[in-house]
Amino acid sequence: MRDGPGTKLNKSPKTRTIAIASGKGGAGKTSVAVCLAWSLAESGRNVCLVDVDLGLSNVDVLLGLTPRYSLEDVIIGEIPMERALTRVRPGLDVISGGSGAAALADLEPARRAMFLSKIKSLDHYDFLLLDNAPGIHRQVVAFCLAAREQIIVINPEPTSVTDGYALLKVLRQNGMRQAPYILVNRVHQGFDHAMLTQRFAAVCKKHLQTVVLPLGAVPDDPLFRQAAAQAMPPMALSPRSVGLTAVARIASLLTRRKASDELYSNIEGFWTVSLNTLFQGLDLPGQVRPEAVDAEQTSIQDVLSRLEKVLTELENLGKTASEKTSFLPEVANRLALSGNRLRRVAESWKLCAEEGSRTGHGGEAKEASAQRLQRIIESGKG
């Protein structure tokens, strides 16, 4: 029996982490996330829905919640994770994002460690669902890459389909290897959603070399719009509707998927990878890149080699700059900041290597790079 938010029911550390995202706003992603979380809880699963929508708190609005604390209070304050949980119904807790997703990117190592220690209290959930911000942002990419499963929500509009494909392309460019789910939402009667899904999958296979897993479609249900206007979940207006029935079927598909270890993750491990990814350079749309860069020149080993040469040059310059004292304090401060930044990068690579070793995703290569970077840092301490 579930007796309260955050109550630990079993000792199993394995949770299915599912990031729900869309390439643009208007796809109905948050409605899907709320109804999916509700359906999973209704089927007997223990679910936590986290709103990481950059302060918009759409989950709160749809559920009619006014939480006292949010993820932001946990990250930058002294609030324990249990107090940020809001019980919606038996088996379903919600964490409001506030500006927490943005605050994650600015955490110092000590704050990050404190946050990760707090997050361990969520280990008892069967499902952790993340309602991402719409569009293609650093936080969206980081959470999607860290999750073991991703649901990309599109609707039949051409712009929605195009933006959903763009999101998948960015995820692939940044290392996503698992097959994501595709869900077609707000489908009007008579529309051939199966054909749309088939064509979308064919394009992804041809141009992105990735397979997408169809979750089916959710009809355009007037009940969803009515519920949103009244700031309450659709289930409160009617426990049965065409939209809710479709979401219940999708929840059943997810729970019946073969339970391999690849679908599960430790909650602390998920958030660790999310933080590491936020701190690393991501290949995102709109970033300025060199026009012609050989792929081999951008490998981590070449970058580390160039870093070693730069440090050698700085050491040589330091031997001849002793008489020019006016600018030395500024140089020393900048070097100290760069050193701190390098230590954070080394820490991130080490944590990524540990996660990669556990999952089999390039752990040895990442560990070797992390060790080399650490040696570079240590060599400059003298």
Side-chain angles (χ1 to χ4, degrees), residues 74-381:
V74 177
I75 294 170
I76 64 177
E78 304 300 326
I79 302 300
M81 182 60 69
E82 290 84 353
R83 296 183 67 183
L85 292 167
T86 301
R87 172 54 53 98
V88 176
R89 54 152 293 154
L92 175 57
D93 297 330
V94 167
I95 300 178
S96 176
S99 298
L104 283 172
D106 299 321
L107 285 183
E108 290 296 320
R111 284 274 182 190
R112 290 163 61 190
M114 184 183 300
F115 170 69
L116 291 174
S117 69
K118 293 179 180 180
I119 214 74
K120 292 179 182 178
S121 64
L122 302 182
D123 260 348
H124 64 284
Y125 288 103
D126 299 311
F127 285 89
L128 179 71
L129 303 185
L130 294 113
D131 180 37
N132 279 281
I136 307 172
H137 309 292
R138 175 174 294 274
Q139 287 84 358
V140 174
V141 175
F143 287 129
C144 285
L145 292 178
R148 295 299 177 87
E149 300 171 83
Q150 303 82 22
I151 298 177
I152 308 301
V153 180
I154 64 174
N155 59 45
E157 296 178 5
T159 54
S160 178
V161 176
T162 302
D163 291 331
Y165 173 83
L167 174 59
L168 280 180
K169 181 178 180 180
V170 170
L171 293 176
R172 284 285 291 170
Q173 288 173 338
N174 285 280
M176 185 185 74
R177 294 293 174 263
Q178 64 269 41
Y181 303 107
I182 188 72
L183 187 155
V184 186
N185 191 31
R186 294 180 174 171
V187 175
H188 294 284
Q189 187 175 3
F191 181 81
D192 192 348
H193 64 84
M195 179 61 71
L196 172 61
T197 302
Q198 182 179 346
R199 290 176 176 174
F200 188 90
V203 172
C204 290
K205 185 175 182 179
K206 178 179 179 180
H207 297 287
L208 303 181
Q209 290 75 54
T210 189
V211 174
V212 296
L213 306 176
L215 277 180
V218 178
D220 186 30
D221 191 340
L223 182 71
F224 282 32
R225 290 191 294 274
Q226 182 183 351
Q230 298 182 32
M232 60 176 59
M235 297 73 65
L237 295 180
S238 173
R240 293 288 177 267
S241 72
V242 290
L244 292 175
T245 300
V247 174
R249 182 187 57 79
I250 291 168
S252 178
L253 284 175
L254 290 173
T255 56
R256 287 188 286 111
R257 186 179 179 188
K258 185 178 179 181
S260 65
D261 287 341
E262 292 182 357
L263 294 183
Y264 294 93
S265 64
N266 181 282
I267 288 291
E268 184 182 3
F270 162 77
W271 287 100
T272 298
V273 174
S274 298
L275 288 170
N276 292 340
T277 309
L278 282 171
F279 275 92
Q280 292 181 15
L282 293 174
D283 187 5
L284 300 174
Q287 290 182 332
V288 178
R289 304 179 182 88
E291 291 297 328
V293 179
D294 191 281
E296 295 181 358
Q297 292 179 338
T298 61
S299 72
I300 181 60
Q301 297 302 326
D302 285 335
V303 171
L304 292 175
S305 296
R306 294 201 299 273
L307 177 59
E308 290 171 331
K309 291 179 181 179
V310 168
L311 290 176
T312 300
E313 292 178 8
L314 286 170
E315 289 172 345
N316 293 333
L317 287 172
K319 296 174 182 178
T320 62
S322 57
E323 297 179 358
K324 303 175 182 179
T325 58
S326 61
F327 65 90
L328 289 182
E330 179 184 353
V331 172
N333 287 335
R334 291 182 65 180
L335 287 175
L337 290 173
S338 298
N340 290 333
R341 187 176 178 185
L342 282 174
R343 289 186 183 90
R344 290 199 297 269
V345 172
E347 179 187 351
S348 296
W349 273 88
K350 184 177 180 180
L351 291 171
C352 273
E354 292 172 355
E355 178 70 10
S357 297
R358 191 175 64 79
T359 60
H361 294 160
E364 293 182 1
K366 291 178 179 177
E367 177 65 24
S369 298
Q371 291 177 357
R372 185 177 178 187
L373 180 55
Q374 189 62 42
R375 288 196 297 271
I376 294 173
I377 296 172
E378 294 294 332
S379 67
K381 285 186 176 181

